[in-house]
């Protein structure tokens, strides 16, 4: 009797194993007329790698928290809107990131973001944002008021930033037309700062131009430039995509 029970139990276990195996094979096999799945199971060797677009999305995820929120404000070194970078020149964005990593632009948060980036990362992020804003080129702007024109001429702003301040003569210079006034003001003042470990920008050309102006004059310039037609945008983005 005991021998019969052992044989019966063995047969039951073998039958259960067969059912489980059959169910597993059925779930992994395509239905009649259905193409086989190309998705590898979790943990399988040779798993599919993300495509180029997915890789870029992963790299810009760290940018979205500030640059992907319209009207978002930073608090360092003072309260101001974070700059619009969608539609900006790719080479300028790349140079700015490199400057943060090197320390020529002093900003603790941006330095922490830029330091781990390799050349390929910077190029992909810069090209992504350069092509993110799909807008028409800005039309010719009206003549600036006399007092503003005098300041613009004094700083020779158009000689680098180009027609309408949106057509820089070189891709390493930024479009500044339509940029947030408070950001422009903070950025311009930063070129006047020397010797501070966490604030300021090192650029001989910009420092030479900006040091001619008082803060009141820089604010006037910033407000005028911010009111011009712009190719820059903040494109709303979410971390949860």
């Amino acid at each position: 009797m005991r021998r019969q029970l052992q044989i019966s139990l063995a047969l039951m276990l073998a039958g259960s194993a067969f059912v489980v195996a059959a169910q597993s094979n059925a779930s992994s096999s395509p239905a009649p007329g259905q193409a086989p799945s190309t998705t590898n199971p979790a943990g399988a060797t040779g798993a599919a790698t993300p495509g180029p677009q997915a890789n870029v999305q992963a790299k810009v995820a760290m940018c979205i928290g500030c640059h992907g929120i319209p009207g978002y404000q930073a608090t360092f070194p003072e309260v101001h809107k974070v700059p619009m970078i969608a539609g900006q020149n790719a080479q300028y964005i790349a140079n700015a990131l490199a400057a943060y990593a090197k320390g020529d632009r002093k900003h603790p948060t941006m330095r922490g973001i830029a330091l781990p980036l390799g050349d390929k990362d910077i190029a992909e992020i810069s090209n992504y944002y350069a092509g993110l804003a799909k807008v028409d080129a800005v039309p010719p702007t009206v003549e600036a008021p006399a007092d503003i024109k005098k300041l613009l001429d004094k700083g020779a702003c158009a000689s680098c930033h180009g027609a309408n301040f949106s057509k820089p003569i070189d891709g390493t210079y930024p479009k500044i037309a339509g940029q947030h006034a408070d950001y422009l003001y903070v950025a311009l003042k930063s070129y006047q700062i020397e010797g501070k470990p966490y604030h300021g920008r090192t650029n001989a050309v910009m420092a030479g131009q900006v040091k001619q102006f008082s803060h009141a004059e820089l604010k006037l310039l910033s407000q005028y430039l911010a009111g011009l037609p712009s190719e820059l945008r903040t494109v709303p983005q979410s971390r949860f995509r």
Side-chain angles (χ1 to χ4, degrees):
M1 182 68 179
R2 184 175 180 181
R3 177 66 176 171
Q4 289 178 336
L5 288 173
Q6 289 175 335
I7 293 172
S8 298
L9 180 59
L11 290 172
M12 290 174 62
L13 292 174
S16 298
F18 176 81
V19 171
V20 171
Q23 290 175 337
S24 176
N25 288 335
S27 63
S28 61
S29 300
Q34 180 180 358
S37 172
T38 58
T39 303
N40 291 332
T45 58
T49 55
Q53 183 63 21
N55 287 333
V56 173
Q57 292 292 340
K59 291 175 183 179
V60 301
M62 60 187 172
C63 312
I64 291 171
C66 294
H67 296 285
I69 303 175
Y72 188 80
Q73 291 183 312
T75 58
F76 179 86
E78 60 189 80
V79 176
H80 65 281
K81 293 184 181 69
V82 298
M84 295 179 279
I85 58 175
Q88 186 59 270
N89 292 325
Q91 187 58 54
Y92 168 74
I93 297 174
N95 283 10
L97 287 170
Y100 283 120
K102 186 179 178 182
D104 287 342
R105 288 191 176 197
K106 298 179 177 68
H107 190 289
T109 301
M110 286 302 303
R111 180 170 170 79
I113 288 172
L115 270 174
L117 299 175
D119 292 342
K120 182 180 178 182
D121 301 323
I122 289 177
E124 289 181 352
I125 291 170
S126 302
N127 289 326
Y128 172 84
Y129 275 105
L132 189 58
K134 306 298 183 182
V135 298
D136 295 331
V138 298
T141 56
V142 297
E143 185 74 10
D147 57 336
I148 299 297
K149 185 177 184 305
K150 184 177 180 180
L151 295 176
L152 292 169
D153 290 344
K154 179 180 178 181
C157 304
S159 64
C160 290
H161 298 285
N164 311 323
F165 306 99
S166 198
K167 296 290 183 292
I169 62 170
D170 186 276
T172 59
Y173 299 122
K175 302 174 184 180
I176 55 177
Q179 185 60 270
H180 298 307
D182 50 3
Y183 166 74
L184 287 173
Y185 179 55
V186 169
L188 288 170
K189 286 192 299 181
S190 70
Y191 291 109
Q192 295 179 331
I193 294 172
E194 296 178 352
K196 291 192 176 182
Y198 301 113
H199 181 33
R201 296 184 181 183
T202 302
N203 182 296
V205 174
M206 284 300 300
Q209 298 299 327
V210 171
K211 286 178 181 178
Q212 306 176 79
F213 298 102
S214 67
H215 285 183
E217 290 172 328
L218 292 179
K219 184 170 286 190
L220 285 174
L221 282 172
S222 301
Q223 290 171 343
Y224 171 75
L225 292 168
L228 296 176
S230 182
E231 297 174 10
L232 304 175
R233 296 290 187 274
T234 296
V235 177
Q237 296 170 279
S238 172
R239 291 180 184 270
F240 307 102
R241 285 187 281 207

